[in-house]
Amino acid sequence: MLMPCASTSPSPSPISCSRVCSRARLVPRGTRLLRGRHPCCVVLGNDGGLQGLQKQQQTRVLSPLRRVRAFSSSSSSSGVGKSHAEDGPFARFMLWLFTNKMADSLQIEKKYTMNEPPSYDDFVDTSFAAMARAGPKEQSQASLDIMLSMLPPDGPAVFRKLFPVAKWSCELNAAITKWVFAWMVGPMTLEERDVPNEWSGEGSTRMKSVVVIEKCRYLEESGCTGMCVNLCKASTQTFFNDHFGLPLTVKPNHEDMSCEFIFGQEPPPLEQDEALLFPCRVDCKTARNCSGADGSDGASLPPCHKLPASNL
């Protein structure tokens, strides 16, 4: 049975804490709710009723197989609502595939069974376990190996022939990413911009090849700077740039948890990427010297201890 949230008043219907809440009480391991998800904390009034709760529900179809519902509560302590996803069959398959492959690759104990497939929480927990068992390079390599294992033997070579570096291939891959990658990061939109590049010979190309993630689900659920860079950004850039030969720069924003996938733009070497300078987030359960913990804005804090070393 779940314990009532520490930030709520007594209520006949206690609501459990989110596991990334700074005031959360521990939720017993192995406890499972609908879809394996912990419900959000909402602040309850002394009379046991919901005070000032304004729940806005909006359903958007991301693909024929997945829907995302965004919930926001004006009574939350942060004042910012948290997005939750209702995973369809494709999303659940990808969760099962990635979680199992990561667990097998790094010999991580599985907390789920065949009768109860891994939830997004299990995916995040496995990611944390991967970070505890391996260094930054090994984490990125494990994530990259999972992506490469989903391709046929000659997949990268065939991709390079079918999708040469050009405006149309950058735009097409951006459009595909918007649908295929939504299970992991949440809703995305496409934007047209002047994308800096060297391959065009013109310095930049105007194209609709920028995938904008409104609020990254992976970063939001984990709260982990290192996980964002090591298991997503670094491996995804290597996957497209080195194996597919298609330029891609991934630019996470740790202030508002948005992110951009810029197809057609060559990324800087990882050791010179500004993403390696981000400090730990206050909502990460493995944080050290985290931004916001002491009123700091993070400008003078050291980089997250789980990031690879930077040359900047």
Side-chain angles (χ1 to χ4, degrees):
M1 181 177 180
L2 293 176
M3 297 176 65
C5 174
S7 60
T8 65
S9 301
S11 167
S13 301
I15 301 178
S16 65
C17 293
S18 167
R19 63 200 186 104
V20 296
C21 176
S22 60
R23 293 183 292 170
R25 292 177 180 170
L26 293 177
V27 177
R29 191 128 180 99
T31 301
R32 293 190 179 274
L33 299 177
L34 181 62
R35 296 190 183 277
R37 203 175 301 284
H38 302 306
C40 286
C41 167
V42 294
V43 179
L44 302 180
N46 293 329
D47 58 355
L50 297 180
Q51 287 188 344
L53 179 63
Q54 298 175 347
K55 182 180 290 185
Q56 298 175 344
Q57 177 174 327
Q58 180 182 16
T59 302
R60 285 169 292 179
V61 178
L62 291 182
S63 72
L65 299 178
R66 183 177 184 273
R67 290 184 177 183
V68 165
R69 290 178 179 173
F71 296 92
S72 65
S73 171
S74 63
S75 61
S76 64
S77 59
S78 64
V80 179
K82 188 174 184 180
S83 302
H84 293 277
E86 180 181 308
D87 297 314
F90 175 73
R92 292 198 295 271
F93 169 74
M94 295 302 290
L95 282 172
W96 173 84
L97 182 66
F98 267 72
T99 305
N100 272 283
K101 283 183 174 290
M102 187 179 298
D104 292 340
S105 174
L106 297 175
Q107 298 181 343
I108 298 170
E109 180 183 0
K110 299 176 182 179
K111 304 294 184 180
Y112 47 88
T113 64
M114 290 297 295
N115 295 329
E116 193 172 8
S119 65
Y120 201 91
D121 283 344
D122 292 316
F123 174 54
V124 172
D125 288 342
T126 302
S127 299
F128 271 115
M131 300 192 74
R133 285 176 173 263
K137 290 184 178 180
E138 290 76 15
Q139 296 166 29
S140 296
Q141 187 61 50
S143 179
L144 176 63
D145 289 344
I146 293 173
M147 290 187 279
L148 291 174
S149 70
M150 300 171 64
L151 303 175
D154 297 328
V158 173
F159 183 96
R160 286 172 180 262
K161 292 181 180 179
L162 294 177
F163 299 100
V165 182
K167 175 181 177 179
W168 69 266
S169 60
C170 292
E171 292 183 330
L172 179 58
N173 277 273
I176 294 173
T177 298
K178 176 185 174 183
W179 297 97
V180 175
F181 207 46
W183 69 271
M184 180 177 178
V185 300
M188 292 175 278
T189 57
L190 290 178
E191 291 188 3
E192 185 178 29
R193 297 183 193 171
D194 290 323
V195 177
N197 62 76
E198 298 179 358
W199 51 266
S200 67
E202 300 177 356
S204 67
T205 304
R206 185 75 176 177
M207 52 187 174
K208 198 173 184 178
S209 66
V210 181
V211 185
V212 179
I213 303 170
E214 301 168 9
K215 181 176 286 188
C216 178
R217 183 186 184 188
Y218 196 46
L219 180 57
E220 186 180 26
E221 293 290 340
S222 68
C224 184
T225 300
M227 190 180 297
C228 163
V229 174
N230 300 341
L231 295 177
C232 183
K233 172 183 166 64
S235 53
T236 303
Q237 286 186 170
T238 302
F239 182 74
F240 279 96
N241 285 279
D242 296 355
H243 294 273
F244 279 0
L246 189 67
L248 170 67
T249 296
V250 179
K251 294 185 66 175
N253 184 328
H254 288 269
E255 293 183 358
D256 60 7
M257 291 185 286
S258 65
C259 187
E260 294 179 351
F261 282 45
I262 309 174
F263 284 90
Q265 179 176 324
E266 297 89 351
L270 185 62
E271 61 273 10
Q272 298 177 17
D273 198 305
E274 62 180 9
L276 301 189
L277 301 179
F278 289 120
C280 288
R281 294 179 54 84
V282 68
D283 50 348
C284 177
K285 64 183 181 181
T286 62
R288 299 178 189 171
N289 301 317
C290 51
S291 174
D294 55 359
S296 170
D297 61 1
S300 60
L301 293 174
C304 170
H305 60 98
K306 297 180 290 292
L307 291 173
S310 170
N311 288 341
L312 296 176

